[in-house]
């Protein structure tokens, strides 16, 4: 989660680190956080698509970074390096964000993040979040790499007068 845990608006994002549309929604979500501040929190859910061979390994790298308190830093770097996703890239990014690289490598090798990733995928399947990105703004589905104005309209409606 990123943002205020008690925010009146929660945006749950089902996303894939290899999906180009998911990369396009990242700046929009950053803009939402700048515009709404403490009124919005973003919750990440893994939805690696089966035809993206680097999506699960990238998700595992993000989870290994989470163990060291740096999920969002790794998230941002993975999307920044989307065209070069590979084990070497994950380790380079881990060093760049100041992770204990040996601990990071051990976590990735262990495969322990797979259950969390699969749990997110099962949730996505149950609620019909098949496409990426799929966002839920206080439960209202918004699909695709939508512009800020689209999310703003939904958020403003949810916040009310």
């Amino acid at each position: 989660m990123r943002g205020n845990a008690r925010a009146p608006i929660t945006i749950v994002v089902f996303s894939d680190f290899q999906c180009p549309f998911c990369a396009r929604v990242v700046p929009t979500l950053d803009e939402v956080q700048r515009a709404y501040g403490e009124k919005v929190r973003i919750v990440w859910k893994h939805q690696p698509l089966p035809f993206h061979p680097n999506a699960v390994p990238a998700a595992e790298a993000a989870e290994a970074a989470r163990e060291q308190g740096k999920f969002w830093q790794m998230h941002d770097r993975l999307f920044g390096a989307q065209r070069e996703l590979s084990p070497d890239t994950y380790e380079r990014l881990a060093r760049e964000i100041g992770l204990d690289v040996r601990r990071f490598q051990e976590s990735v090798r262990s495969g322990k993040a797979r259950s969390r990733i699969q749990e997110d995928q099962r949730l996505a399947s149950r609620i019909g979040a098949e496409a990426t990105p799929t966002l839920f703004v206080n439960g209202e589905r918004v699909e695709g790499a939508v512009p800020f104005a689209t999310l703003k309209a939904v958020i403003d409606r949810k916040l009310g007068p």
Side-chain angles (χ1 to χ4, degrees), residues 32-48:
V32 164
Q33 287 203 288
R34 282 192 304 275
Y36 289 93
E38 294 294 307
K39 293 180 182 177
V40 173
R41 71 178 166 161
I42 310 281
V43 176
W44 173 272
K45 295 292 183 184
H46 296 285
Q47 177 60 326

Side-chain angles (χ1 to χ4, degrees), residues 89-115:
T89 299
Y90 311 141
E91 288 184 24
R92 176 177 55 81
L93 298 177
R95 279 191 300 281
E96 288 175 6
I97 63 173
L99 296 180
D100 175 329
V101 176
R102 189 170 47 167
R103 192 171 145 207
F104 172 83
Q105 292 167 330
E106 288 170 7
S107 177
V108 170
R109 267 195 303 275
S110 76
K112 61 184 169 183
R114 285 191 197 118
S115 63

Side-chain angles (χ1 to χ4, degrees), residues 11-12 14 17 19-20 31 37 57 65 69 76 87 97 99-100 104 116 136 156:
I11 302 173
V12 179
F14 287 86
F17 287 110
C19 167
E31 189 175 353
D76 294 347
I97 63 173
L99 296 180
D100 175 329
F104 172 83
R116 183 182 189 126
F136 291 90
D156 289 347

Side-chain angles (χ1 to χ4, degrees), residues 18-35:
Q18 196 175 350
C19 167
F21 299 102
C22 295
R24 287 179 27 203
V25 84
V26 170
T28 302
L29 292 171
D30 291 344
E31 189 175 353
V32 164
Q33 287 203 288
R34 282 192 304 275

Side-chain angles (χ1 to χ4, degrees), residues 49-65:
L49 299 174
F51 54 88
H52 286 154
N54 295 312
V56 169
E60 291 173 331
E63 287 301 315

